[in-house]
Amino acid sequence: MRLLTNPFLLLAAACVKAGTVTYQWEVSWVNAAPDGFSRPVIGVNGAWPCPTIEATVGDTVVVQLTNKLGNQTTGIHFHGINQVNTDYMDGPSGVTQCPVPPGSSITYSFTVDAPGTYWYHSHNMGQYPDGFRGPMIVHDPVDPYKGQYDEEVILTVSDWYHSQSLDLVRKMLSPNNTQFQPPIPNGIIVNEGRSGRINFVKGKTYRVRIISFAALGSAMIHFDSHTMRVIMNDASYVQKTDTYQLRVSPAQRYDVLISAIDRDRRNYPFLVSLDINRDFANDATLRWPYNFTGYLAMDPAGDFTQKDVVTKWRPADDSRFSPLVPEPPIGPVTKTVKLDFTFCIDANGIPRACFNGQPMVPQKVPTLYSVATTGNDNTNPLVYGAVNPFIFKMGDIVEVALNNIDAAIHPFHLHGHQFQVLDRPASGAGRWSGRSTSSTGSVPRRDTVSVNANSYVVIRFKVDWPGVYLFHCHIEWHVEMGLTATFIEAPEQLRGIQFPQDHLDNCRKMNIPYQGNAAGNTQNPLDQSGMQTVPDTTYNGAMYTPASTPRLRSRIVRKSL
Ligand SMILES: *[C@@H]1O[C@H](CO)[C@@H](O)[C@H](O)[C@H]1NC(C)=O
Ligand SMILES: *[C@@H]1O[C@H](CO)[C@@H](O)[C@H](O)[C@H]1NC(C)=O
Ligand SMILES: *[C@@H]1O[C@H](CO)[C@@H](O)[C@H](O)[C@H]1NC(C)=O
Ligand SMILES: [Cu+2]
C-alpha cells in the first residue's frame, strides 16, 4: 500500500531491474589448515573457503549443486532467507527435501525479497562445522544508510574443530555422556583462516558485515580505538547504535560501520575471543578463551604485533537494538506455543535435548512432502510424528514462549521469519509468567536470539505465507541432540503442490518415500504405525550408505506428483 501512495518509493522500485545470479557448485572434500592443522573439509569447486553468494533485492538466486563428496549426502539451507512461497528451497534435509546422495544434483532457485547479511550452510546432519558454509549478501538498492560508508567487508568468525562432525557427534551421543557435553572446539578462526587484516584508509568508513559460522561458541569482538555503529542485526535494519563490544552467537549477524580514525597512521588490532562460558551474563569471565587478533591495516609495511587487550567484557545486548522503522508488537496473538527446553535421556539411554520432554525424531518422509500429500488431514499433527509439530493458520499471530531450563545460554533461530523479541530477561529470571506483553513501544526484530541461562524469551511473528519452518537452537550439536520444533504454516495452501523433479529424484535414489504421512502411509495419514518415536541408537550423520532395499520403492504412489 505504501508503495502506491509514495511516488518516490514507487519510482525507486521501478528502477530496480531484477536479474538472476547463478552458481554452479561441485561439493567435495578438500584439505585445509585454517588454524595450521590440516584436515579434510567440505569445499566448493575444489576450493575452501566456500564462495560468497551475492545478489540484489528482487534477484533470483540459482545454485546448481552437484554432490561429489563420495561418502556423504548433503544439502544447503539459506539462513535468514524468507523463501516466500518457495519453502521447498529452504534446504533442511528431512524437512523440505531429501538429502542429495553422492553423484546427484539439486537446483535451488528462489527470489531474495529482503536486503541484508545472510549465510548459507549445510542443514544436513551436523555437516556445516566440517566447512560447508559461506556468506550470502543481498544488496539493497534503496539502502537507508547509503552514502554513510565507502566500502564493504565481510568478517566471519567461527569456532573450529580438528575432528569431523560424525566422530564428534557419535561421542556426544553415547550413554556415558551423562553431563550432555557438546564437542569442545580446538580453536577460533576468522574469515575461515585468511589473514584477518582489513585494509583501512584514513578518512573512509567501512561497512563490516560480521557473520558467525560457529557451532557452539559465541564470538566476543572489540576493535582498538574504533567504535562500531550497528546498522543491522540479522538482516533487519536498526537505528544506528554505537557499541565497543559485540557478542555474536552462532548464526547471528551484525552490520557495523567503522570509520578509520584520523589520529595517526598505524595498524589497529582487534580481538575476537571465543566465549564458551555457560552463563556469560552472570559471570563475564570467558572460559577456555581462544583469541584471534586481526588488524585494521592502515600501514601495510608497519607493525603487526600489537594486541588488543580487553579487561572486562560488557557486550551490547542482542535483544535491545531498535528497528530502524519503529515497530510495536504485532497482535492480537491468535496462537501461543510454549516450549520448555531441557536436556533429557531417551528410551535407549542416549543423551538428547528436548522441547517439552521430546527430542525431534527424524521421520521417513520429509515433513513438507507429508504436508503436500495428506489432503485434509494435513492440519492434524498426528500426520507428522515426533518432529515436535505445531500447526498454524494463514494470518495467525504466533507467540512463542521458550523457557530455557538449562544453566547455559542458547541461541534460538526461526527459519523463514524475522521475529519480534518481546521479552528476553537476564539469566536466572526463571520461567515465563504466561502474561502477554502490554508494551506498545518498538520491539527488536531479528532471526536468532540468545536465551539466557535459567531464563526465557518471548517472540512473535505472523504467518504471511505457507511453509514448514524449523525453530531450533543454533548450537549445531544441540540440533543433533534433537533441539528442534517444526512450525507448519498454512498447510491448507500447500495441498497438492508440485515439487521440482530433481528434488524428488534424490528421494528416489535414497529410497526415501515422498508421499503420505511421516511413515509414508498414503492410505490413512492418521495411522501412526511405522513412525519413528525414538531416535536411532546408531548415529550415522551424513554418511552415505547406498540404498539396497528396493522394497520401499514399491510403496511410493506416484499419481499426484
Ligand atoms: C564414553 O565412551 C566412549 C566409547 O564408548 C569413549 O570414547 C569416551 O571417552 C567415553 N566418554 C566419557 C565421558 O567417559
Ligand atoms: C585472550 O584475550 C584476553 C583479553 O585481552 C586475555 O585476558 C586472555 O588472557 C587472552 N587469552 C589467551 C589464551 O591468550
Ligand atoms: C569421507 O571422506 C573424507 C575425505 O576423504 C574422510 O576424511 C572421511 O573420514 C570420510 N567419512 C566417512 C564417514 O567415511
Ligand atoms: Cu543449544
Side-chain angles (χ1 to χ4, degrees):
M1 286 317 283
R2 202 175 291 162
L3 269 186
L4 296 175
T5 54
N6 183 330
F8 174 74
L9 278 182
L10 185 64
L11 184 67
C15 290
V16 180
K17 199 159 154 281
T20 300
V21 292
T22 304
Y23 296 88
Q24 280 174 326
W25 287 356
E26 285 192 0
V27 178
S28 68
W29 290 102
V30 296
N31 282 307
D35 61 348
F37 177 90
S38 179
R39 55 155 288 179
V41 298
I42 297 176
V44 167
N45 296 337
W48 192 87
C50 300
T52 297
I53 294 179
E54 226 176 322
T56 300
V57 174
D59 282 352
T60 299
V61 172
V62 178
V63 180
Q64 297 165 339
L65 175 156
T66 300
N67 180 357
K68 298 273 188 182
L69 290 168
N71 62 3
Q72 292 201 356
T73 61
T74 195
I76 311 178
H77 166 58
F78 303 88
H79 182 115
I81 300 295
N82 290 323
Q83 299 292 4
V84 179
N85 296 317
T86 49
D87 182 43
Y88 49 93
M89 298 297 182
D90 195 44
S93 291
V95 181
T96 62
Q97 67 169 77
C98 293
V100 182
S104 290
S105 299
I106 190 169
T107 296
Y108 296 98
S109 173
F110 53 89
T111 302
V112 285
D113 64 315
T117 301
Y118 303 89
W119 62 302
Y120 65 86
H121 61 85
S122 166
H123 209 304
N124 184 56
M125 309 300 291
Q127 198 171 50
Y128 83 74
D130 282 334
F132 192 13
R133 71 275 183 100
M136 174 161 179
I137 309 299
V138 179
H139 294 285
D140 187 354
V142 289
D143 179 356
Y145 288 108
K146 197 182 176 133
Q148 298 189 35
Y149 55 92
D150 304 290
E151 283 179 37
E152 295 185 30
V153 289
I154 296 172
L155 184 69
T156 72
V157 297
S158 183
D159 47 17
W160 190 246
Y161 303 80
H162 290 171
S163 301
Q164 290 178 31
S165 294
L166 178 62
D167 298 332
L168 294 172
V169 177
R170 277 186 170 159
K171 274 204 190 94
M172 176 180 75
L173 297 179
S174 61
N176 64 358
N177 183 13
T178 52
Q179 297 302 304
F180 307 96
Q181 287 295 319
I184 300 300
N186 298 102
I188 183 169
I189 58 173
V190 165
N191 284 341
E192 304 288 66
R194 296 184 188 102
S195 83
R197 288 186 193 173
I198 306 177
N199 291 328
F200 258 46
V201 173
K202 235 188 206 179
K204 282 196 177 179
T205 296
Y206 295 79
R207 175 181 186 159
V208 183
R209 296 175 181 266
I210 302 170
I211 309 172
S212 171
F213 289 167
L216 172 69
S218 291
M220 298 287 206
I221 301 184
H222 174 265
F223 289 85
D224 177 32
S225 308
H226 290 76
T227 312
M228 292 178 272
R229 272 166 286 149
V230 180
I231 58 166
M232 202 177 227
N233 65 181
D234 298 350
S236 278
Y237 285 114
V238 300
Q239 290 177 20
K240 222 186 311 180
T241 309
D242 283 4
T243 186
Y244 292 103
Q245 299 178 355
L246 282 172
R247 180 181 186 278
V248 192
S249 72
Q252 286 188 328
R253 290 90 66 214
Y254 286 100
D255 290 41
V256 304
L257 303 185
I258 303 179
S259 297
I261 63 167
D262 229 8
R263 205 164 50 221
D264 50 9
R265 186 180 145 92
R266 65 179 175 96
N267 299 314
Y268 290 87
F270 63 88
L271 175 64
V272 188
S273 208
L274 191 69
D275 169 37
I276 328 180
N277 185 344
R278 288 173 69 74
D279 183 10
F280 93 98
N282 259 351
D283 170 7
T285 328
L286 303 193
R287 311 271 178 236
W288 306 301
Y290 290 115
N291 288 345
F292 178 92
T293 302
Y295 293 90
L296 302 180
M298 299 189 206
D299 178 14
D303 175 36
F304 283 100
T305 58
Q306 281 198 27
K307 297 273 185 248
D308 179 35
V309 177
V310 175
T311 49
K312 182 112 183 122
W313 287 103
R314 274 193 220 87
D317 187 325
D318 73 338
S319 70
R320 290 285 184 279
F321 292 97
S322 297
L324 180 60
V325 179
E327 274 182 41
I330 50 170
V333 173
T334 58
K335 193 97 189 173
T336 302
V337 174
K338 232 184 121 241
L339 297 171
D340 287 352
F341 152 49
T342 53
F343 286 104
C344 50
I345 306 268
D346 73 18
N348 296 308
I350 294 173
R352 305 283 172 193
C354 284
F355 277 137
N356 302 338
Q358 294 296 324
M360 126 86 90
V361 184
Q363 300 296 317
K364 288 199 188 91
V365 178
T367 307
L368 177 63
Y369 296 163
S370 290
V371 175
T373 60
T374 52
N376 290 338
D377 288 326
N378 80 355
T379 52
N380 191 329
L382 287 178
V383 165
Y384 306 106
V387 297
N388 289 323
F390 293 88
I391 319 269
F392 308 134
K393 287 198 194 60
M394 184 61 90
D396 264 346
I397 306 272
V398 182
E399 179 162 274
V400 181
L402 180 143
N403 291 315
N404 172 10
I405 304 170
D406 181 47
I409 189 169
H410 296 258
F412 282 89
H413 167 55
L414 175 59
H415 288 213
H417 296 273
Q418 298 277 315
F419 52 72
Q420 294 185 324
V421 184
L422 276 81
D423 200 4
R424 206 295 316 269
S427 53
R431 301 187 191 200
W432 181 52
S433 68
R435 259 199 320 276
S436 253
T437 187
S438 52
S439 155
T440 51
S442 185
V443 288
R445 213 175 124 84
R446 57 187 315 161
D447 67 34
T448 307
V449 66
S450 297
V451 187
N452 286 310
N454 296 308
S455 186
Y456 62 90
V457 72
V458 181
I459 64 169
R460 275 187 202 170
F461 63 93
K462 183 164 183 228
V463 175
D464 273 330
W465 53 83
V468 175
Y469 294 105
L470 296 181
F471 178 70
H472 62 90
C473 177
H474 220 293
I475 291 178
E476 183 66 353
W477 315 122
H478 295 162
V479 171
E480 294 314 288
M481 276 188 161
L483 196 43
T484 297
T486 306
F487 291 172
I488 298 166
E489 307 184 21
E492 307 85 346
Q493 301 202 3
L494 294 169
R495 285 177 189 144
I497 63 160
Q498 305 285 307
F499 297 106
Q501 194 58 44
D502 59 333
H503 290 224
L504 300 182
D505 286 346
N506 286 318
C507 299
R508 284 197 199 98
K509 289 177 193 159
M510 295 286 298
N511 258 342
I512 295 174
Y514 50 83
Q515 292 197 319
N517 69 10
N521 186 333
T522 52
Q523 302 307 309
N524 181 5
L526 301 183
D527 175 359
Q528 290 202 302
S529 53
M531 290 188 188
Q532 189 129 9
T533 53
V534 181
D536 284 338
T537 48
T538 310
Y539 179 86
N540 286 321
M543 199 165 85
Y544 176 66
T545 327
S548 55
T549 45
R551 196 172 48 85
L552 276 173
R553 186 164 297 189
S554 63
R555 288 171 52 192
I556 298 173
V557 182
R558 292 200 186 160
K559 61 174 188 309
S560 71
L561 284 174

